[in-house]
Amino acid sequence: MVCKRWGSILSDPHFRKRFLKHHMKPPLLGFFQGYANRFAPVMDPPNRVPAASFSLPRSSTPRSDHGEYMGCRHGLAVVINKHERKTVVWDPLTGRHHIVAFPPGLDDAFMESFCMWHGAVLCADAEDGHVHGDCFLSPFKLVLVYCGGYNTQAFYSVYDSASGVLGGVFSTVISRIISVLRPSILVGNALCWLISRGDILVFDFEIQNLNFIEKPAYYNITDGCFQLLRMEDGGLGLAVLLDLTIQLWGRKSNCDGVAEWVLLEKTIPLEGVFP
């Protein structure tokens, strides 16, 4: 806006590559504490970014601005507002947002206080040269997963922003409800959610299917002891906290081509790490 020469330099695609190469990994500005209106900055002044810098979409319903923060991917965050029965795909840095209503029918069936709604977003821009991060104007896919109380089924639906259509509702059998406020992770073409007590729900984008993976057989410990991982080889992993040691498991194919859990030799001792 001020200098045409600087404008030309900044808009050059090669500048972005040089900029990223120079600064390497971008700094962590802060994190959301379960809800979209609870941002905790971590940097010191003058680089500290206050929570007020983020423009959360205001709710039209009194006292229902506490949208549950489902995580962020490709620069897009997912916020679920059960009170207004909608999901917000949100760019926290610009405040731009896209609203998707809950699927008809299920929004009435799953409004109990103990129901679990989860969502995950994925940029669907397939053009050559597209760099994920500023993807709000790019097409995206939103996956909604929901289950209620002691229901033994998880229901899911996929929204495509390119067509503006929310697909049909499908279901799969699960053993337990999805863990509260645990974001999904992306492993290859699959989104993975942690279910209570270590089991995993997997949505495959290619075949549009929801599957269930059991945790390693002999664990019977609390939810807080499990964490999903994306391994260095790009596969699915699971970290398990036992006393003061973290065990690592990887999902591998056996000689028959069947995927199974394999305990890795690497463990992470925590004794002496914390005061």
Side-chain angles (χ1 to χ4, degrees), residues 168-206:
V169 176
F170 303 92
S171 66
T172 189
V173 176
I174 60 174
S175 61
R176 302 177 180 89
I177 61 174
I178 303 173
S179 294
V180 179
L181 301 180
R182 286 291 188 97
S184 65
I185 68 167
L186 180 64
V187 179
N189 293 314
L191 286 168
C192 304
W193 287 270
L194 192 65
I195 299 180
S196 296
R197 299 189 181 180
D199 295 333
I200 302 167
L201 203 61
V202 179
F203 178 80
D204 191 310
F205 267 103
E206 285 192 352

PDB file of all heavy atoms in Angstrom, residues 168-206:
ATOM      1  N   GLY A 168     -24.565 -37.269   3.034  1.00  0.00           N
ATOM      2  CA  GLY A 168     -25.447 -38.107   3.825  1.00  0.00           C
ATOM      3  C   GLY A 168     -24.835 -38.495   5.156  1.00  0.00           C
ATOM      4  O   GLY A 168     -23.636 -38.338   5.392  1.00  0.00           O
ATOM      5  N   VAL A 169     -25.671 -39.027   6.025  1.00  0.00           N
ATOM      6  CA  VAL A 169     -25.238 -39.446   7.358  1.00  0.00           C
ATOM      7  C   VAL A 169     -24.997 -40.948   7.360  1.00  0.00           C
ATOM      8  O   VAL A 169     -25.854 -41.727   6.944  1.00  0.00           O
ATOM      9  CB  VAL A 169     -26.297 -39.078   8.422  1.00  0.00           C
ATOM     10  CG1 VAL A 169     -25.886 -39.604   9.785  1.00  0.00           C
ATOM     11  CG2 VAL A 169     -26.478 -37.563   8.465  1.00  0.00           C
ATOM     12  N   PHE A 170     -23.814 -41.355   7.825  1.00  0.00           N
ATOM     13  CA  PHE A 170     -23.450 -42.767   7.894  1.00  0.00           C
ATOM     14  C   PHE A 170     -23.012 -43.084   9.322  1.00  0.00           C
ATOM     15  O   PHE A 170     -22.800 -42.176  10.136  1.00  0.00           O
ATOM     16  CB  PHE A 170     -22.328 -43.079   6.899  1.00  0.00           C
ATOM     17  CG  PHE A 170     -22.671 -42.726   5.478  1.00  0.00           C
ATOM     18  CD1 PHE A 170     -22.342 -41.476   4.963  1.00  0.00           C
ATOM     19  CD2 PHE A 170     -23.329 -43.630   4.661  1.00  0.00           C
ATOM     20  CE1 PHE A 170     -22.663 -41.146   3.651  1.00  0.00           C
ATOM     21  CE2 PHE A 170     -23.653 -43.308   3.355  1.00  0.00           C
ATOM     22  CZ  PHE A 170     -23.318 -42.060   2.855  1.00  0.00           C
ATOM     23  N   SER A 171     -22.859 -44.353   9.628  1.00  0.00           N
ATOM     24  CA  SER A 171     -22.525 -44.726  11.009  1.00  0.00           C
ATOM     25  C   SER A 171     -21.619 -45.942  11.034  1.00  0.00           C
ATOM     26  O   SER A 171     -21.498 -46.681  10.050  1.00  0.00           O
ATOM     27  CB  SER A 171     -23.792 -45.015  11.813  1.00  0.00           C
ATOM     28  OG  SER A 171     -24.452 -46.169  11.312  1.00  0.00           O
ATOM     29  N   THR A 172     -20.970 -46.131  12.185  1.00  0.00           N
ATOM     30  CA  THR A 172     -20.168 -47.316  12.438  1.00  0.00           C
ATOM     31  C   THR A 172     -20.272 -47.657  13.914  1.00  0.00           C
ATOM     32  O   THR A 172     -20.588 -46.796  14.741  1.00  0.00           O
ATOM     33  CB  THR A 172     -18.695 -47.087  12.049  1.00  0.00           C
ATOM     34  OG1 THR A 172     -17.984 -48.330  12.109  1.00  0.00           O
ATOM     35  CG2 THR A 172     -18.025 -46.104  12.985  1.00  0.00           C
ATOM     36  N   VAL A 173     -20.030 -48.913  14.249  1.00  0.00           N
ATOM     37  CA  VAL A 173     -20.138 -49.367  15.639  1.00  0.00           C
ATOM     38  C   VAL A 173     -18.860 -49.001  16.389  1.00  0.00           C
ATOM     39  O   VAL A 173     -17.754 -49.190  15.883  1.00  0.00           O
ATOM     40  CB  VAL A 173     -20.368 -50.889  15.700  1.00  0.00           C
ATOM     41  CG1 VAL A 173     -20.379 -51.369  17.148  1.00  0.00           C
ATOM     42  CG2 VAL A 173     -21.682 -51.240  15.014  1.00  0.00           C
ATOM     43  N   ILE A 174     -19.003 -48.455  17.583  1.00  0.00           N
ATOM     44  CA  ILE A 174     -17.852 -48.134  18.433  1.00  0.00           C
ATOM     45  C   ILE A 174     -18.087 -48.714  19.820  1.00  0.00           C
ATOM     46  O   ILE A 174     -19.207 -49.077  20.178  1.00  0.00           O
ATOM     47  CB  ILE A 174     -17.617 -46.612  18.534  1.00  0.00           C
ATOM     48  CG1 ILE A 174     -18.854 -45.926  19.142  1.00  0.00           C
ATOM     49  CG2 ILE A 174     -17.273 -46.016  17.185  1.00  0.00           C
ATOM     50  CD1 ILE A 174     -18.643 -44.446  19.402  1.00  0.00           C
ATOM     51  N   SER A 175     -17.004 -48.792  20.591  1.00  0.00           N
ATOM     52  CA  SER A 175     -17.115 -49.371  21.932  1.00  0.00           C
ATOM     53  C   SER A 175     -17.355 -48.310  22.989  1.00  0.00           C
ATOM     54  O   SER A 175     -17.987 -48.569  24.006  1.00  0.00           O
ATOM     55  CB  SER A 175     -15.835 -50.145  22.273  1.00  0.00           C
ATOM     56  OG  SER A 175     -14.712 -49.279  22.269  1.00  0.00           O
ATOM     57  N   ARG A 176     -16.839 -47.075  22.735  1.00  0.00           N
ATOM     58  CA  ARG A 176     -16.942 -46.009  23.735  1.00  0.00           C
ATOM     59  C   ARG A 176     -17.073 -44.682  23.031  1.00  0.00           C
ATOM     60  O   ARG A 176     -16.838 -44.560  21.835  1.00  0.00           O
ATOM     61  CB  ARG A 176     -15.702 -46.000  24.642  1.00  0.00           C
ATOM     62  CG  ARG A 176     -15.454 -47.303  25.367  1.00  0.00           C
ATOM     63  CD  ARG A 176     -14.170 -47.224  26.178  1.00  0.00           C
ATOM     64  NE  ARG A 176     -13.913 -48.465  26.895  1.00  0.00           N
ATOM     65  CZ  ARG A 176     -13.226 -49.477  26.397  1.00  0.00           C
ATOM     66  NH1 ARG A 176     -12.726 -49.399  25.185  1.00  0.00           N
ATOM     67  NH2 ARG A 176     -13.022 -50.570  27.112  1.00  0.00           N
ATOM     68  N   ILE A 177     -17.419 -43.636  23.790  1.00  0.00           N
ATOM     69  CA  ILE A 177     -17.544 -42.310  23.212  1.00  0.00           C
ATOM     70  C   ILE A 177     -16.163 -41.726  22.921  1.00  0.00           C
ATOM     71  O   ILE A 177     -15.152 -42.166  23.454  1.00  0.00           O
ATOM     72  CB  ILE A 177     -18.315 -41.363  24.151  1.00  0.00           C
ATOM     73  CG1 ILE A 177     -17.576 -41.197  25.484  1.00  0.00           C
ATOM     74  CG2 ILE A 177     -19.724 -41.869  24.375  1.00  0.00           C
ATOM     75  CD1 ILE A 177     -18.203 -40.177  26.405  1.00  0.00           C
ATOM     76  N   ILE A 178     -16.129 -40.721  22.040  1.00  0.00           N
ATOM     77  CA  ILE A 178     -14.880 -40.063  21.688  1.00  0.00           C
ATOM     78  C   ILE A 178     -14.419 -39.216  22.859  1.00  0.00           C
ATOM     79  O   ILE A 178     -15.216 -38.589  23.551  1.00  0.00           O
ATOM     80  CB  ILE A 178     -15.077 -39.193  20.435  1.00  0.00           C
ATOM     81  CG1 ILE A 178     -15.612 -40.053  19.282  1.00  0.00           C
ATOM     82  CG2 ILE A 178     -13.779 -38.523  20.026  1.00  0.00           C
ATOM     83  CD1 ILE A 178     -15.993 -39.264  18.063  1.00  0.00           C
ATOM     84  N   SER A 179     -13.111 -39.176  23.094  1.00  0.00           N
ATOM     85  CA  SER A 179     -12.573 -38.401  24.202  1.00  0.00           C
ATOM     86  C   SER A 179     -12.908 -36.921  24.036  1.00  0.00           C
ATOM     87  O   SER A 179     -12.865 -36.380  22.932  1.00  0.00           O
ATOM     88  CB  SER A 179     -11.051 -38.562  24.281  1.00  0.00           C
ATOM     89  OG  SER A 179     -10.722 -39.889  24.599  1.00  0.00           O
ATOM     90  N   VAL A 180     -13.246 -36.276  25.132  1.00  0.00           N
ATOM     91  CA  VAL A 180     -13.645 -34.869  25.104  1.00  0.00           C
ATOM     92  C   VAL A 180     -12.456 -33.989  24.751  1.00  0.00           C
ATOM     93  O   VAL A 180     -11.366 -34.122  25.306  1.00  0.00           O
ATOM     94  CB  VAL A 180     -14.224 -34.461  26.469  1.00  0.00           C
ATOM     95  CG1 VAL A 180     -14.629 -32.997  26.471  1.00  0.00           C
ATOM     96  CG2 VAL A 180     -15.411 -35.344  26.818  1.00  0.00           C
ATOM     97  N   LEU A 181     -12.670 -33.064  23.797  1.00  0.00           N
ATOM     98  CA  LEU A 181     -11.706 -32.020  23.461  1.00  0.00           C
ATOM     99  C   LEU A 181     -10.341 -32.552  23.041  1.00  0.00           C
ATOM    100  O   LEU A 181      -9.322 -31.904  23.246  1.00  0.00           O
ATOM    101  CB  LEU A 181     -11.550 -31.043  24.641  1.00  0.00           C
ATOM    102  CG  LEU A 181     -12.832 -30.337  25.080  1.00  0.00           C
ATOM    103  CD1 LEU A 181     -12.548 -29.408  26.238  1.00  0.00           C
ATOM    104  CD2 LEU A 181     -13.442 -29.561  23.924  1.00  0.00           C
ATOM    105  N   ARG A 182     -10.296 -33.726  22.453  1.00  0.00           N
ATOM    106  CA  ARG A 182      -9.055 -34.216  21.871  1.00  0.00           C
ATOM    107  C   ARG A 182      -9.104 -33.953  20.364  1.00  0.00           C
ATOM    108  O   ARG A 182      -9.981 -34.478  19.673  1.00  0.00           O
ATOM    109  CB  ARG A 182      -8.877 -35.711  22.126  1.00  0.00           C
ATOM    110  CG  ARG A 182      -8.506 -36.078  23.548  1.00  0.00           C
ATOM    111  CD  ARG A 182      -7.089 -35.619  23.892  1.00  0.00           C
ATOM    112  NE  ARG A 182      -6.680 -36.129  25.190  1.00  0.00           N
ATOM    113  CZ  ARG A 182      -5.945 -37.224  25.349  1.00  0.00           C
ATOM    114  NH1 ARG A 182      -5.573 -37.928  24.302  1.00  0.00           N
ATOM    115  NH2 ARG A 182      -5.592 -37.623  26.561  1.00  0.00           N
ATOM    116  N   PRO A 183      -8.198 -33.160  19.813  1.00  0.00           N
ATOM    117  CA  PRO A 183      -8.219 -32.902  18.373  1.00  0.00           C
ATOM    118  C   PRO A 183      -7.822 -34.137  17.580  1.00  0.00           C
ATOM    119  O   PRO A 183      -7.166 -35.042  18.085  1.00  0.00           O
ATOM    120  CB  PRO A 183      -7.192 -31.776  18.206  1.00  0.00           C
ATOM    121  CG  PRO A 183      -6.280 -31.929  19.369  1.00  0.00           C
ATOM    122  CD  PRO A 183      -7.118 -32.439  20.504  1.00  0.00           C
ATOM    123  N   SER A 184      -8.208 -34.153  16.313  1.00  0.00           N
ATOM    124  CA  SER A 184      -7.827 -35.249  15.435  1.00  0.00           C
ATOM    125  C   SER A 184      -6.400 -35.049  14.955  1.00  0.00           C
ATOM    126  O   SER A 184      -5.821 -33.967  15.071  1.00  0.00           O
ATOM    127  CB  SER A 184      -8.766 -35.292  14.221  1.00  0.00           C
ATOM    128  OG  SER A 184      -8.594 -34.119  13.436  1.00  0.00           O
ATOM    129  N   ILE A 185      -5.798 -36.108  14.406  1.00  0.00           N
ATOM    130  CA  ILE A 185      -4.528 -35.982  13.701  1.00  0.00           C
ATOM    131  C   ILE A 185      -4.727 -36.537  12.295  1.00  0.00           C
ATOM    132  O   ILE A 185      -5.593 -37.388  12.065  1.00  0.00           O
ATOM    133  CB  ILE A 185      -3.372 -36.713  14.421  1.00  0.00           C
ATOM    134  CG1 ILE A 185      -3.567 -38.237  14.383  1.00  0.00           C
ATOM    135  CG2 ILE A 185      -3.215 -36.233  15.846  1.00  0.00           C
ATOM    136  CD1 ILE A 185      -2.321 -39.002  14.791  1.00  0.00           C
ATOM    137  N   LEU A 186      -3.935 -36.029  11.354  1.00  0.00           N
ATOM    138  CA  LEU A 186      -4.009 -36.465   9.959  1.00  0.00           C
ATOM    139  C   LEU A 186      -2.843 -37.409   9.682  1.00  0.00           C
ATOM    140  O   LEU A 186      -1.682 -37.032   9.833  1.00  0.00           O
ATOM    141  CB  LEU A 186      -3.951 -35.252   9.024  1.00  0.00           C
ATOM    142  CG  LEU A 186      -4.028 -35.546   7.525  1.00  0.00           C
ATOM    143  CD1 LEU A 186      -5.380 -36.165   7.168  1.00  0.00           C
ATOM    144  CD2 LEU A 186      -3.796 -34.262   6.731  1.00  0.00           C
ATOM    145  N   VAL A 187      -3.169 -38.635   9.283  1.00  0.00           N
ATOM    146  CA  VAL A 187      -2.154 -39.640   8.955  1.00  0.00           C
ATOM    147  C   VAL A 187      -2.418 -40.111   7.534  1.00  0.00           C
ATOM    148  O   VAL A 187      -3.384 -40.834   7.285  1.00  0.00           O
ATOM    149  CB  VAL A 187      -2.199 -40.834   9.929  1.00  0.00           C
ATOM    150  CG1 VAL A 187      -1.159 -41.871   9.554  1.00  0.00           C
ATOM    151  CG2 VAL A 187      -2.001 -40.369  11.363  1.00  0.00           C
ATOM    152  N   GLY A 188      -1.582 -39.670   6.597  1.00  0.00           N
ATOM    153  CA  GLY A 188      -1.834 -39.988   5.197  1.00  0.00           C
ATOM    154  C   GLY A 188      -3.128 -39.355   4.738  1.00  0.00           C
ATOM    155  O   GLY A 188      -3.300 -38.133   4.807  1.00  0.00           O
ATOM    156  N   ASN A 189      -4.062 -40.176   4.289  1.00  0.00           N
ATOM    157  CA  ASN A 189      -5.377 -39.695   3.853  1.00  0.00           C
ATOM    158  C   ASN A 189      -6.451 -39.936   4.906  1.00  0.00           C
ATOM    159  O   ASN A 189      -7.637 -39.901   4.588  1.00  0.00           O
ATOM    160  CB  ASN A 189      -5.787 -40.387   2.549  1.00  0.00           C
ATOM    161  CG  ASN A 189      -4.900 -39.985   1.388  1.00  0.00           C
ATOM    162  OD1 ASN A 189      -4.609 -38.806   1.193  1.00  0.00           O
ATOM    163  ND2 ASN A 189      -4.459 -40.967   0.612  1.00  0.00           N
ATOM    164  N   ALA A 190      -6.049 -40.181   6.133  1.00  0.00           N
ATOM    165  CA  ALA A 190      -7.007 -40.533   7.177  1.00  0.00           C
ATOM    166  C   ALA A 190      -6.957 -39.565   8.352  1.00  0.00           C
ATOM    167  O   ALA A 190      -5.883 -39.132   8.768  1.00  0.00           O
ATOM    168  CB  ALA A 190      -6.749 -41.952   7.667  1.00  0.00           C
ATOM    169  N   LEU A 191      -8.127 -39.230   8.866  1.00  0.00           N
ATOM    170  CA  LEU A 191      -8.249 -38.473  10.110  1.00  0.00           C
ATOM    171  C   LEU A 191      -8.488 -39.460  11.244  1.00  0.00           C
ATOM    172  O   LEU A 191      -9.297 -40.383  11.109  1.00  0.00           O
ATOM    173  CB  LEU A 191      -9.414 -37.488  10.029  1.00  0.00           C
ATOM    174  CG  LEU A 191      -9.220 -36.245   9.173  1.00  0.00           C
ATOM    175  CD1 LEU A 191     -10.551 -35.537   8.968  1.00  0.00           C
ATOM    176  CD2 LEU A 191      -8.216 -35.305   9.813  1.00  0.00           C
ATOM    177  N   CYS A 192      -7.785 -39.254  12.359  1.00  0.00           N
ATOM    178  CA  CYS A 192      -7.873 -40.192  13.471  1.00  0.00           C
ATOM    179  C   CYS A 192      -8.258 -39.462  14.743  1.00  0.00           C
ATOM    180  O   CYS A 192      -7.694 -38.405  15.055  1.00  0.00           O
ATOM    181  CB  CYS A 192      -6.535 -40.903  13.683  1.00  0.00           C
ATOM    182  SG  CYS A 192      -5.900 -41.757  12.216  1.00  0.00           S
ATOM    183  N   TRP A 193      -9.232 -40.011  15.471  1.00  0.00           N
ATOM    184  CA  TRP A 193      -9.651 -39.491  16.770  1.00  0.00           C
ATOM    185  C   TRP A 193      -9.406 -40.542  17.850  1.00  0.00           C
ATOM    186  O   TRP A 193      -9.582 -41.744  17.616  1.00  0.00           O
ATOM    187  CB  TRP A 193     -11.145 -39.164  16.786  1.00  0.00           C
ATOM    188  CG  TRP A 193     -11.550 -37.953  16.033  1.00  0.00           C
ATOM    189  CD1 TRP A 193     -11.645 -36.668  16.492  1.00  0.00           C
ATOM    190  CD2 TRP A 193     -11.972 -37.910  14.663  1.00  0.00           C
ATOM    191  NE1 TRP A 193     -12.080 -35.844  15.499  1.00  0.00           N
ATOM    192  CE2 TRP A 193     -12.293 -36.565  14.368  1.00  0.00           C
ATOM    193  CE3 TRP A 193     -12.097 -38.874  13.665  1.00  0.00           C
ATOM    194  CZ2 TRP A 193     -12.746 -36.170  13.112  1.00  0.00           C
ATOM    195  CZ3 TRP A 193     -12.537 -38.480  12.412  1.00  0.00           C
ATOM    196  CH2 TRP A 193     -12.857 -37.134  12.148  1.00  0.00           C
ATOM    197  N   LEU A 194      -9.033 -40.082  19.020  1.00  0.00           N
ATOM    198  CA  LEU A 194      -8.860 -40.983  20.151  1.00  0.00           C
ATOM    199  C   LEU A 194     -10.198 -41.193  20.839  1.00  0.00           C
ATOM    200  O   LEU A 194     -10.891 -40.236  21.198  1.00  0.00           O
ATOM    201  CB  LEU A 194      -7.855 -40.393  21.141  1.00  0.00           C
ATOM    202  CG  LEU A 194      -7.335 -41.323  22.233  1.00  0.00           C
ATOM    203  CD1 LEU A 194      -6.522 -42.451  21.620  1.00  0.00           C
ATOM    204  CD2 LEU A 194      -6.484 -40.534  23.216  1.00  0.00           C
ATOM    205  N   ILE A 195     -10.577 -42.454  20.997  1.00  0.00           N
ATOM    206  CA  ILE A 195     -11.795 -42.803  21.731  1.00  0.00           C
ATOM    207  C   ILE A 195     -11.402 -43.094  23.176  1.00  0.00           C
ATOM    208  O   ILE A 195     -10.250 -43.394  23.471  1.00  0.00           O
ATOM    209  CB  ILE A 195     -12.486 -44.025  21.085  1.00  0.00           C
ATOM    210  CG1 ILE A 195     -12.871 -43.683  19.641  1.00  0.00           C
ATOM    211  CG2 ILE A 195     -13.722 -44.436  21.850  1.00  0.00           C
ATOM    212  CD1 ILE A 195     -13.550 -44.811  18.918  1.00  0.00           C
ATOM    213  N   SER A 196     -12.339 -42.979  24.073  1.00  0.00           N
ATOM    214  CA  SER A 196     -12.057 -43.209  25.485  1.00  0.00           C
ATOM    215  C   SER A 196     -11.312 -44.524  25.696  1.00  0.00           C
ATOM    216  O   SER A 196     -11.623 -45.546  25.076  1.00  0.00           O
ATOM    217  CB  SER A 196     -13.363 -43.228  26.284  1.00  0.00           C
ATOM    218  OG  SER A 196     -13.991 -41.965  26.217  1.00  0.00           O
ATOM    219  N   ARG A 197     -10.287 -44.472  26.577  1.00  0.00           N
ATOM    220  CA  ARG A 197      -9.470 -45.618  26.972  1.00  0.00           C
ATOM    221  C   ARG A 197      -8.601 -46.177  25.855  1.00  0.00           C
ATOM    222  O   ARG A 197      -8.254 -47.353  25.854  1.00  0.00           O
ATOM    223  CB  ARG A 197     -10.345 -46.718  27.575  1.00  0.00           C
ATOM    224  CG  ARG A 197     -11.079 -46.263  28.828  1.00  0.00           C
ATOM    225  CD  ARG A 197     -11.763 -47.406  29.522  1.00  0.00           C
ATOM    226  NE  ARG A 197     -12.474 -46.949  30.710  1.00  0.00           N
ATOM    227  CZ  ARG A 197     -13.158 -47.746  31.518  1.00  0.00           C
ATOM    228  NH1 ARG A 197     -13.219 -49.050  31.264  1.00  0.00           N
ATOM    229  NH2 ARG A 197     -13.777 -47.256  32.565  1.00  0.00           N
ATOM    230  N   GLY A 198      -8.242 -45.321  24.893  1.00  0.00           N
ATOM    231  CA  GLY A 198      -7.194 -45.685  23.965  1.00  0.00           C
ATOM    232  C   GLY A 198      -7.585 -46.234  22.614  1.00  0.00           C
ATOM    233  O   GLY A 198      -6.713 -46.414  21.755  1.00  0.00           O
ATOM    234  N   ASP A 199      -8.855 -46.530  22.377  1.00  0.00           N
ATOM    235  CA  ASP A 199      -9.258 -46.992  21.047  1.00  0.00           C
ATOM    236  C   ASP A 199      -9.306 -45.798  20.088  1.00  0.00           C
ATOM    237  O   ASP A 199      -9.322 -44.640  20.501  1.00  0.00           O
ATOM    238  CB  ASP A 199     -10.612 -47.687  21.113  1.00  0.00           C
ATOM    239  CG  ASP A 199     -10.560 -48.975  21.928  1.00  0.00           C
ATOM    240  OD1 ASP A 199      -9.478 -49.579  21.985  1.00  0.00           O
ATOM    241  OD2 ASP A 199     -11.591 -49.363  22.507  1.00  0.00           O
ATOM    242  N   ILE A 200      -9.347 -46.089  18.778  1.00  0.00           N
ATOM    243  CA  ILE A 200      -9.164 -45.048  17.770  1.00  0.00           C
ATOM    244  C   ILE A 200     -10.253 -45.142  16.704  1.00  0.00           C
ATOM    245  O   ILE A 200     -10.599 -46.235  16.242  1.00  0.00           O
ATOM    246  CB  ILE A 200      -7.775 -45.164  17.104  1.00  0.00           C
ATOM    247  CG1 ILE A 200      -6.674 -45.069  18.175  1.00  0.00           C
ATOM    248  CG2 ILE A 200      -7.574 -44.097  16.036  1.00  0.00           C
ATOM    249  CD1 ILE A 200      -5.305 -45.473  17.668  1.00  0.00           C
ATOM    250  N   LEU A 201     -10.764 -43.974  16.317  1.00  0.00           N
ATOM    251  CA  LEU A 201     -11.729 -43.867  15.228  1.00  0.00           C
ATOM    252  C   LEU A 201     -10.999 -43.265  14.038  1.00  0.00           C
ATOM    253  O   LEU A 201     -10.318 -42.244  14.172  1.00  0.00           O
ATOM    254  CB  LEU A 201     -12.898 -42.978  15.647  1.00  0.00           C
ATOM    255  CG  LEU A 201     -14.229 -43.153  14.924  1.00  0.00           C
ATOM    256  CD1 LEU A 201     -14.757 -44.575  15.123  1.00  0.00           C
ATOM    257  CD2 LEU A 201     -15.237 -42.140  15.428  1.00  0.00           C
ATOM    258  N   VAL A 202     -11.111 -43.896  12.850  1.00  0.00           N
ATOM    259  CA  VAL A 202     -10.353 -43.484  11.675  1.00  0.00           C
ATOM    260  C   VAL A 202     -11.300 -43.225  10.513  1.00  0.00           C
ATOM    261  O   VAL A 202     -12.103 -44.085  10.142  1.00  0.00           O
ATOM    262  CB  VAL A 202      -9.332 -44.581  11.272  1.00  0.00           C
ATOM    263  CG1 VAL A 202      -8.557 -44.143  10.033  1.00  0.00           C
ATOM    264  CG2 VAL A 202      -8.382 -44.878  12.422  1.00  0.00           C
ATOM    265  N   PHE A 203     -11.206 -42.019   9.936  1.00  0.00           N
ATOM    266  CA  PHE A 203     -11.992 -41.691   8.740  1.00  0.00           C
ATOM    267  C   PHE A 203     -11.053 -41.603   7.549  1.00  0.00           C
ATOM    268  O   PHE A 203     -10.126 -40.798   7.530  1.00  0.00           O
ATOM    269  CB  PHE A 203     -12.734 -40.366   8.909  1.00  0.00           C
ATOM    270  CG  PHE A 203     -13.526 -39.970   7.687  1.00  0.00           C
ATOM    271  CD1 PHE A 203     -14.762 -40.541   7.452  1.00  0.00           C
ATOM    272  CD2 PHE A 203     -13.023 -39.056   6.767  1.00  0.00           C
ATOM    273  CE1 PHE A 203     -15.493 -40.207   6.317  1.00  0.00           C
ATOM    274  CE2 PHE A 203     -13.736 -38.711   5.641  1.00  0.00           C
ATOM    275  CZ  PHE A 203     -14.985 -39.280   5.411  1.00  0.00           C
ATOM    276  N   ASP A 204     -11.285 -42.435   6.544  1.00  0.00           N
ATOM    277  CA  ASP A 204     -10.468 -42.475   5.332  1.00  0.00           C
ATOM    278  C   ASP A 204     -11.126 -41.596   4.269  1.00  0.00           C
ATOM    279  O   ASP A 204     -12.244 -41.866   3.831  1.00  0.00           O
ATOM    280  CB  ASP A 204     -10.336 -43.921   4.827  1.00  0.00           C
ATOM    281  CG  ASP A 204      -9.289 -44.053   3.739  1.00  0.00           C
ATOM    282  OD1 ASP A 204      -9.335 -43.266   2.781  1.00  0.00           O
ATOM    283  OD2 ASP A 204      -8.433 -44.942   3.848  1.00  0.00           O
ATOM    284  N   PHE A 205     -10.412 -40.543   3.835  1.00  0.00           N
ATOM    285  CA  PHE A 205     -10.982 -39.614   2.866  1.00  0.00           C
ATOM    286  C   PHE A 205     -11.142 -40.244   1.493  1.00  0.00           C
ATOM    287  O   PHE A 205     -12.073 -39.910   0.752  1.00  0.00           O
ATOM    288  CB  PHE A 205     -10.098 -38.364   2.748  1.00  0.00           C
ATOM    289  CG  PHE A 205     -10.512 -37.254   3.657  1.00  0.00           C
ATOM    290  CD1 PHE A 205      -9.825 -36.995   4.817  1.00  0.00           C
ATOM    291  CD2 PHE A 205     -11.604 -36.459   3.345  1.00  0.00           C
ATOM    292  CE1 PHE A 205     -10.206 -35.978   5.661  1.00  0.00           C
ATOM    293  CE2 PHE A 205     -11.992 -35.435   4.174  1.00  0.00           C
ATOM    294  CZ  PHE A 205     -11.300 -35.186   5.338  1.00  0.00           C
ATOM    295  N   GLU A 206     -10.255 -41.147   1.125  1.00  0.00           N
ATOM    296  CA  GLU A 206     -10.301 -41.728  -0.213  1.00  0.00           C
ATOM    297  C   GLU A 206     -11.538 -42.587  -0.420  1.00  0.00           C
ATOM    298  O   GLU A 206     -12.216 -42.488  -1.438  1.00  0.00           O
ATOM    299  CB  GLU A 206      -9.031 -42.535  -0.481  1.00  0.00           C
ATOM    300  CG  GLU A 206      -7.811 -41.681  -0.765  1.00  0.00           C
ATOM    301  CD  GLU A 206      -6.656 -42.498  -1.306  1.00  0.00           C
ATOM    302  OE1 GLU A 206      -6.767 -43.746  -1.305  1.00  0.00           O
ATOM    303  OE2 GLU A 206      -5.653 -41.900  -1.728  1.00  0.00           O
TER     304      GLU A 206
END
